[in-house]
Amino acid sequence: MTPDEYIEAVLDLVERIPPGRAMTYGAIADALADRSGRNSARRVGTIMALHGSSVPWYRVCGANGKLPQGHENEARRRLQAEGVTFRGERVPPEVML
């Protein structure tokens, strides 16, 4: 898989996260690892930062359930509109795919 194909695969996977659910950067990397030969949560984060505005970026969070840095309020608002109930500042584990 070329770097551009990997970007497209990440964005496609994020696009398929159902409303009211979330995935971590690491879970996305893991889901694509066999097919892509890559497995880097940081790379997924970079892809989301550079190319993620066209997909539901707010459904992707850190391994600890923290929302994307600098976009916490907007992500929280959007997830709550989809029915997610937060535990403090974190996305609860039962929401994760």
Side-chain angles (χ1 to χ4, degrees), residues 13 33 38 49 64 71 76:
L13 181 54
R38 295 172 174 85
N64 58 4
H71 304 282
R76 184 180 184 95

Side-chain angles (χ1 to χ4, degrees), residues 6 25-26 29 39-49:
Y6 187 67
Y25 298 103
N39 191 357
S40 170
R42 284 184 187 228
R43 180 69 182 134
V44 171
T46 299
I47 289 168
M48 292 303 298

Side-chain angles (χ1 to χ4, degrees), residues 55-79:
V55 297
W57 57 268
Y58 54 91
R59 294 181 188 149
V60 182
C61 62
N64 58 4
K66 287 195 174 184
L67 297 170
Q69 187 175 2
H71 304 282
E72 297 92 346
N73 292 336
E74 180 66 14
R76 184 180 184 95
R77 185 187 67 73
R78 290 181 183 215
L79 287 169

Side-chain angles (χ1 to χ4, degrees), residues 1-91:
M1 182 178 288
T2 69
D4 286 341
E5 290 170 333
Y6 187 67
I7 291 169
E8 289 303 316
V10 167
L11 298 176
D12 180 61
L13 181 54
V14 172
E15 185 70 40
R16 292 184 286 124
I17 300 171
R21 302 301 297 267
M23 285 184 83
T24 65
Y25 298 103
I28 292 168
D30 289 346
L32 297 172
D34 287 345
R35 206 170 67 174
S36 69
R38 295 172 174 85
N39 191 357
S40 170
R42 284 184 187 228
R43 180 69 182 134
V44 171
T46 299
I47 289 168
M48 292 303 298
L50 296 174
H51 307 285
S53 64
S54 65
V55 297
W57 57 268
Y58 54 91
R59 294 181 188 149
V60 182
C61 62
N64 58 4
K66 287 195 174 184
L67 297 170
Q69 187 175 2
H71 304 282
E72 297 92 346
N73 292 336
E74 180 66 14
R76 184 180 184 95
R77 185 187 67 73
R78 290 181 183 215
L79 287 169
Q80 285 177 323
E82 293 181 354
V84 174
T85 302
F86 283 76
R87 292 185 184 157
E89 298 300 314
R90 299 170 192 255
V91 176

